[in-house]
Amino acid sequence: MPHSTAAARRAKTSTTAQGIDVGALQRDSAHALYEQIADRLRDYIASHNQLGMQLQTDDALMQRYSVSRSTVRKAVQRLVDEGVLFRRRGKGTFVSQPVPKIVHSLDRLAPFFETFRQVGADLHTEVIDFFWEESPDLPPELDAWERPVFTFLRLYRSRGIPHALTRVRVPCEIGRHLSRADFESTPIYEVLQSKLGLQVTKADNLVSCQQPSASISRLLGLSQSSFLLVLDRISRDKSGAPIEMTTHFLRPDVYQLSVSLTTGVPHHKGP
């Protein structure tokens, strides 16, 4: 019997989140302690991604982070609200189904939609807003765009989990020909080609890491103290004129960005 008890204890330990980051919280940060704890728990769960893994008890997390019970409960509740964790009455808190894993390639000229078509993800999209911007924050190469700029926002979900937000902008002379119905479920590249006869032949990409704004963190179900992968893409027509800019706000626990490179050295045949 003692041997069986010890084995059961070891089995329970192996399925409980034990290796969570214990580095000191930033107690003078503008981001609340519970948000910082939620971010660390989310990162740990994403890296281990074990369905049904049991979270440590409130007491253990209180001791680990030197915070109050109410702070721990707020952190855990945030992840429950996001769908990362779920509770079983009298049993504890457990990891829900894993978040999707999506690799988006930057070395081919294709709409964002194409990534999901290839991986077969359970994808749901929703245009959550569209509007005209008089003074958008645009890079210098888009200074020539006539104002106002037409903008729409699209939210992506898989398995009920929001994981990407795209903000698409086009200049006034293009936007005046578009309606919500055009891009409700159609990639912007297809809209530009089918409706306006514009062919995208080149795109410039810039990748960065940023903390989300309050509105973006709310839409993606994240705290403002977390970080997002941000991909800015400026698309050009055959004349080289910029005709579209999309900013992708991507959850880093879901997305990886890939690029395939060659040396550029020509291959010589024969001696």
Side-chain angles (χ1 to χ4, degrees), residues 43-146:
D43 290 344
Y44 178 84
I45 291 167
S47 64
H48 288 71
N49 214 21
Q50 297 178 14
L51 176 62
M53 180 175 66
Q54 186 174 8
L55 191 69
Q56 288 182 317
T57 64
D58 288 355
D59 288 339
L61 292 173
M62 289 166 56
Q63 182 176 3
R64 185 176 289 273
Y65 290 112
S66 300
V67 294
S68 67
R69 187 178 301 276
S70 63
T71 298
V72 165
R73 287 183 172 175
K74 287 181 70 175
V76 173
Q77 184 60 49
R78 174 178 282 275
L79 298 184
V80 170
D81 293 341
E82 292 177 15
V84 175
L85 298 172
F86 68 94
R87 292 191 175 97
R88 288 178 179 163
R89 186 179 297 275
K91 299 289 186 180
T93 306
F94 300 84
V95 175
S96 57
Q97 65 181 24
V99 296
K101 296 296 182 182
I102 300 171
V103 179
H104 180 63
S105 175
L106 301 182
D107 54 6
R108 59 190 180 88
L109 195 57
F112 195 54
F113 268 86
E114 196 62 33
T115 295
F116 299 103
R117 289 172 179 167
Q118 291 194 355
V119 301
D122 174 25
L123 176 68
H124 298 276
T125 70
E126 177 188 1
V127 173
I128 57 174
D129 201 2
F130 68 103
F131 50 94
W132 292 94
E133 290 182 281
E134 288 288 349
S135 302
D137 183 17
L138 295 175
E141 55 263 50
L142 302 184
D143 285 344
W145 275 13
E146 181 184 351

